[in-house]
Amino acid sequence: MLSAQYSLNTLKNNEIGPVKRLKIVEDLTEFPHEILDLKASLEILDLSNNALSSLPPEFKQLDNLKIVFLSNNKFTELPEVLGQCKNLEMIAFKGNKISKVAEYSLPPSVRWLILTDNEITELPDSMGQLTQLRKLALAGNRLTKLPAKMANCNELELVRLSANKLYTLPNWLFNLPKLAWLTFSGNPVCGPRSEALTLFPKNKLAEFELKEKLGEGASGEIFLAKPQVEGKSTVAIKLFKGDITSDGYPQDELDCCLNAGVHSNLVKTLAQINAVPSLGMVMELIPSSYRNLGLPPSLSSCTRDTFTSETAHHINNIYKLAQQMASVLAHLHENNVSHGDIYAHNSLINGQYHLLFGDFGAASQLHHLSEYQRDAVQAIEVRAFGYFVEDLLQVCSDSDEKHKETYLKLVKIVASCTSNVLKNRPKFLELVGILGSE
């Protein structure tokens, strides 16, 4: 966590000088008013994992505050005072008991809002005034509809709506000009889960010996696993963390993953683990020669991938990655699965720039949508593909005259994929034709 952690006593004894970041985790039941003494400098406040249920009216005095984390507390209402904090850009209240979001309880300045895993049944019309909002996480609530005025949120790029009670999805949602990452699984609009969960091979966790942890994401942990039966190959097992994740229900991730089919650029799923209390999937072990292509977005980049300072890729290799990504995404949409999280940080490459794509935590089934909405979801994912290529071009190591034609071709593709007019974006099969095969 970015915030510097201090004790409550240190704060009360006035032993903290001007700080930009403050974190306190001490089962707080009341907001420490001493925090207000830091108003001249404080920009990031993290009071997550406490027992807070309200904020005082004086909270608005923190007029330099840009980011506030209040996840895993005991709020039942979103504090209305937040709406008076004119410089707040990021607000996180994940894992509370919030059922009410009052009109104007959010400032127009907010660009990243996390209300995952609460009990919200309705959002106010004033959401439509959040014209700077780029990232909106609402998975795991009780929403039955979205305010029509949210059609004004034209800066929205990422929306998480999984695990709610939405029977329909409004067409304005699919027409947001900058939307690139959308998930809505686990809603009535998606219909019942597919037969894949019933038909796909099943294993028991007891059939494996778990070794070291290989990785961890929002929805689960991945372990090296050795089958108890002699002679069988070592595999990777992903175990889901709980009943709901930041992207939705684990069962929906598993369902989409199983329906995705087989493709040379997809991490291969071998079986499911679907016995209480364990839920997970058995996957082919990825060779150690593969590495992450990128890093997740930062607080400042919001929705866009980040890279280490030494990251550099030749333009020919970026082109090769674009070819592979277009191919695998065309395959997914042919199988009526949207990925919802097309990013370099969800991609692995080896020394030959072979791409492996995975992590279906934000995926959604498209079978039950109208043809118009299915096409719109593809257009949304095409925009994400454009961002994927654009981000890689930012770390291109060679765009000199010799490779100018390749570079300009990718720049042109990015422009068409990120058009604010959805009908002007190519489909993935068209992109495969434009890019050609390896």
Side-chain angles (χ1 to χ4, degrees):
M1 175 55 65
L2 290 174
S3 304
Q5 186 162 347
Y6 296 92
S7 71
L8 185 58
N9 281 338
T10 300
L11 179 67
K12 289 186 172 183
N13 292 332
N14 199 26
E15 296 174 14
I16 302 176
V19 293
K20 287 186 176 182
R21 299 166 178 167
L22 175 67
K23 177 179 180 178
I24 300 176
V25 185
E26 290 191 20
D27 291 323
L28 300 174
T29 57
E30 292 185 3
F31 179 82
H33 278 69
E34 290 82 0
I35 291 176
L36 301 176
D37 295 333
L38 304 173
K39 62 183 179 182
S41 61
L42 193 62
E43 295 181 3
I44 301 174
L45 176 61
D46 186 357
L47 297 178
S48 295
N49 303 302
N50 284 290
L52 296 169
S53 59
S54 65
L55 296 177
E58 294 82 6
F59 188 84
K60 65 182 179 183
Q61 295 178 17
L62 297 171
D63 47 16
N64 286 312
L65 197 62
K66 294 180 180 178
I67 298 170
V68 60
F69 296 102
L70 282 159
S71 297
N72 302 315
N73 276 282
K74 295 185 178 181
F75 289 89
T76 59
E77 297 183 10
L78 193 67
E80 293 188 41
V81 69
L82 295 173
Q84 301 174 56
C85 299
K86 297 181 179 180
N87 290 310
L88 267 183
E89 296 181 10
M90 180 178 181
I91 298 171
F93 277 79
K94 179 182 177 182
N96 280 271
K97 297 290 183 183
I98 296 172
S99 60
K100 181 182 177 183
V101 180
E103 290 280 2
Y104 309 109
S105 56
L106 291 163
S109 57
V110 67
R111 62 190 186 106
W112 188 340
L113 177 61
I114 301 172
L115 296 174
T116 308
D117 192 15
N118 280 286
E119 299 173 3
I120 301 167
T121 58
E122 189 175 6
L123 292 171
D125 287 341
S126 58
M127 290 287 294
Q129 296 186 13
L130 304 183
T131 54
Q132 303 304 309
L133 190 61
R134 295 174 59 189
K135 197 166 185 174
L136 178 61
L138 293 168
N141 281 283
R142 300 176 184 176
L143 293 168
T144 58
K145 62 180 181 179
L146 299 172
K149 290 187 176 180
M150 283 185 66
N152 296 324
C153 298
N154 285 325
E155 293 298 314
L156 268 175
E157 295 176 309
L158 183 149
V159 178
R160 299 288 189 241
L161 295 172
S162 296
N164 276 282
K165 299 183 182 298
L166 297 165
Y167 283 86
T168 59
L169 293 170
N171 282 341
W172 63 256
L173 174 67
F174 298 96
N175 288 312
L176 291 171
K178 297 185 179 179
L179 190 60
W181 301 276
L182 172 66
T183 180
F184 47 84
S185 62
N187 280 285
V189 68
C190 297
R193 295 187 180 104
S194 71
E195 291 184 352
L197 288 170
T198 305
L199 301 176
F200 206 78
K202 295 180 176 66
N203 284 136
K204 294 179 180 177
L205 189 58
E207 296 175 34
F208 302 91
E209 180 186 356
L210 296 186
K211 299 292 188 178
E212 68 264 27
K213 186 162 75 171
L214 299 175
E216 183 173 0
S219 62
E221 299 174 314
I222 301 174
F223 296 90
L224 186 71
K226 182 179 179 182
Q228 300 285 13
V229 178
E230 283 293 327
K232 289 204 170 184
S233 301
T234 302
V235 295
I237 288 182
K238 179 173 183 175
L239 293 178
F240 295 108
K241 292 178 179 178
D243 295 334
I244 192 167
T245 74
S246 59
D247 293 326
Y249 296 122
Q251 291 93 336
D252 290 310
E253 176 176 349
L254 185 57
D255 191 21
C256 288
C257 190
L258 300 184
N259 276 283
V262 178
H263 189 280
S264 60
N265 297 113
L266 281 178
V267 178
K268 189 175 181 179
T269 304
L270 304 174
Q272 59 178 311
I273 296 172
N274 200 355
V276 178
S278 301
L279 182 65
M281 62 182 77
V282 183
M283 301 177 292
E284 195 170 66
L285 186 64
I286 299 170
S288 59
S289 56
Y290 284 81
R291 67 187 191 279
N292 279 96
L293 179 57
L295 299 172
S298 65
L299 296 179
S300 57
S301 72
C302 192
T303 60
R304 302 297 288 271
D305 266 324
T306 56
F307 300 88
T308 60
S309 58
E310 64 270 17
T311 298
H313 300 292
H314 191 280
I315 187 62
N316 289 343
N317 290 325
I318 293 174
Y319 193 90
K320 185 175 181 179
L321 292 173
Q323 287 177 313
Q324 294 174 85
M325 183 61 86
S327 174
V328 72
L329 291 173
H331 168 84
L332 290 179
H333 279 266
E334 285 177 352
N335 284 283
N336 278 312
V337 173
S338 66
H339 187 270
D341 219 9
I342 300 165
Y343 275 114
H345 73 262
N346 285 327
S347 308
L348 297 168
I349 58 168
N350 64 8
Q352 289 71 50
Y353 278 81
H354 178 257
L355 175 78
L356 279 177
F357 190 49
D359 195 345
F360 282 76
S364 301
Q365 297 275 11
L366 307 180
H367 300 83
H368 298 278
L369 298 185
S370 67
E371 182 179 358
Y372 172 84
Q373 290 187 343
R374 286 198 301 272
D375 286 345
V377 172
Q378 182 168 173
I380 289 166
E381 298 239 294
V382 165
R383 188 179 182 94
F385 169 80
Y387 284 152
F388 170 85
V389 176
E390 185 176 50
D391 287 346
L392 290 175
L393 289 177
Q394 301 303 313
V395 290
C396 178
S397 63
D398 192 344
S399 58
D400 59 18
E401 196 64 33
K402 183 180 178 182
H403 304 101
K404 187 176 180 179
E405 185 177 344
T406 302
Y407 182 86
L408 291 177
K409 184 176 182 179
L410 288 180
V411 169
K412 186 177 180 180
I413 287 172
V414 167
S416 64
C417 290
T418 58
S419 169
N420 285 351
V421 181
L422 273 70
K423 66 180 181 180
N424 291 344
R425 299 175 197 166
K427 291 183 179 289
F428 283 120
L429 284 176
E430 292 176 60
L431 286 167
V432 170
I434 293 168
L435 288 162
S437 56
E438 289 185 72

